[in-house]
């Protein structure tokens, strides 16, 4: 799926050779139609060596475990989205401790960024329209891959298991 008209100024796009492929491009402003992605921001919240996961209760991943997080809005950056979504889904105010990993599958329209985070304040309070329960899992007892919500969940947890803090 691609644009027919420039999303900036409405000019009809024309196929233009850019970076080795013919792409719809705007002769007025130079906009070129590369892939369309949404960005998801997730957190790995660790406490006492355990990670917080949420069991989803909606949609095709109903019953599966997910990291806190969601899609980045137009008016925020990825860090803000990670903190906001985590607060909405867990009740915790968190501080981010750095980017852990990113993942995107070819053909998938979503790029996932995963931050390590720790709790500043708040009480665990899941969003009842998104999750049925929350659980803390140690590295050697996280849910089986078939019980995880997304490939990015498994990818993030693998990165967490492999992560060693700088000494
Ligand atoms: Zn344009």
């Amino acid at each position: 799926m691609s644009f027919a008209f420039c999303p900036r100024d409405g000019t009809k796009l024309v196929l233009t050779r850019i970076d080795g492929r013919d792409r719809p491009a705007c002769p007025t402003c130079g906009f070129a139609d590369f892939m369309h992605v949404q960005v998801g921001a997730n957190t790995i919240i660790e406490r006492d060596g355990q990670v917080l996961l949420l069991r989803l209760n909606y949609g095709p991943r109903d019953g599966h475990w997910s990291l806190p997080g969601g899609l980045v809005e137009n008016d925020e950056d990825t860090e803000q989205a990670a903190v906001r979504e985590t607060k909405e889904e867990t009740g915790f105010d968190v501080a981010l401790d750095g980017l852990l990993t990113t993942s995107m599958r070819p053909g998938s329209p979503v790029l996932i960024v995963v931050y390590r985070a720790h709790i500043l304040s708040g009480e665990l309070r899941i969003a009842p329209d998104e999750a049925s329960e929350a659980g803390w899992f140690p590295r050697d007892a996280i849910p089986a891959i078939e019980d995880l919500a997304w490939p990015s969940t498994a990818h993030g947890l693998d990165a967490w298991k492999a992560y060693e803090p700088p000494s």
Side-chain angles (χ1 to χ4, degrees), residues 5-11 13 25-31:
F5 296 91
C6 179
R8 294 177 184 157
D9 53 45
T11 304
L13 301 180
C26 177
T28 301
C29 75
F31 168 84

Side-chain angles (χ1 to χ4, degrees), residues 12-62:
K12 186 167 176 39
L13 301 180
V14 294
L15 282 180
T16 305
R17 193 79 174 171
I18 301 171
D19 240 9
R21 297 192 192 187
D22 290 328
R23 310 171 193 278
C26 177
T28 301
C29 75
F31 168 84
D33 195 10
F34 282 69
M35 69 181 300
H36 302 175
V37 292
Q38 296 179 312
V39 180
N42 288 3
T43 52
I44 293 271
I45 303 173
E46 184 174 333
R47 191 179 67 183
D48 300 330
Q50 301 188 322
V51 65
L52 182 62
L53 296 177
L54 302 170
R55 189 166 215 158
L56 303 181
N57 66 352
Y58 68 95
R61 307 298 174 156
D62 186 8

Side-chain angles (χ1 to χ4, degrees), residues 27 42 54 71 84 89 122 160:
N42 288 3
L54 302 170
L71 295 176
R84 175 185 54 77
E89 294 182 355
W160 173 63

Side-chain angles (χ1 to χ4, degrees), residues 31-166:
F31 168 84
D33 195 10
F34 282 69
M35 69 181 300
H36 302 175
V37 292
Q38 296 179 312
V39 180
N42 288 3
T43 52
I44 293 271
I45 303 173
E46 184 174 333
R47 191 179 67 183
D48 300 330
Q50 301 188 322
V51 65
L52 182 62
L53 296 177
L54 302 170
R55 189 166 215 158
L56 303 181
N57 66 352
Y58 68 95
R61 307 298 174 156
D62 186 8
H64 291 69
W65 294 95
S66 170
L67 294 169
L71 295 176
V72 180
E73 301 281 5
N74 273 324
D75 57 355
E76 60 188 2
D77 63 27
T78 51
E79 289 88 352
Q80 291 169 325
V83 169
R84 175 185 54 77
E85 287 281 349
T86 298
K87 173 73 172 179
E88 291 172 3
E89 294 182 355
T90 70
F92 290 126
D93 290 296
V94 297
L96 303 183
D97 298 313
L99 180 66
L100 178 65
T101 189
T102 67
S103 63
M104 191 180 76
R105 288 171 297 151
S108 163
V110 185
L111 168 70
I112 302 291
V113 298
V114 183
Y115 295 96
R116 293 184 305 109
H118 66 272
I119 296 169
L120 293 174
S121 62
E123 297 292 327
L124 181 61
R125 178 180 42 74
I126 58 176
D129 56 342
E130 296 190 40
S132 58
E133 62 177 312
W136 293 95
F137 296 89
R139 278 179 169 75
D140 59 359
I142 60 173
I145 191 163
E146 61 267 26
D147 294 324
L148 299 177
W150 317 101
S152 63
T153 314
H155 183 86
L157 289 169
D158 282 345
W160 173 63
K161 286 192 285 187
Y163 178 80
E164 294 185 17

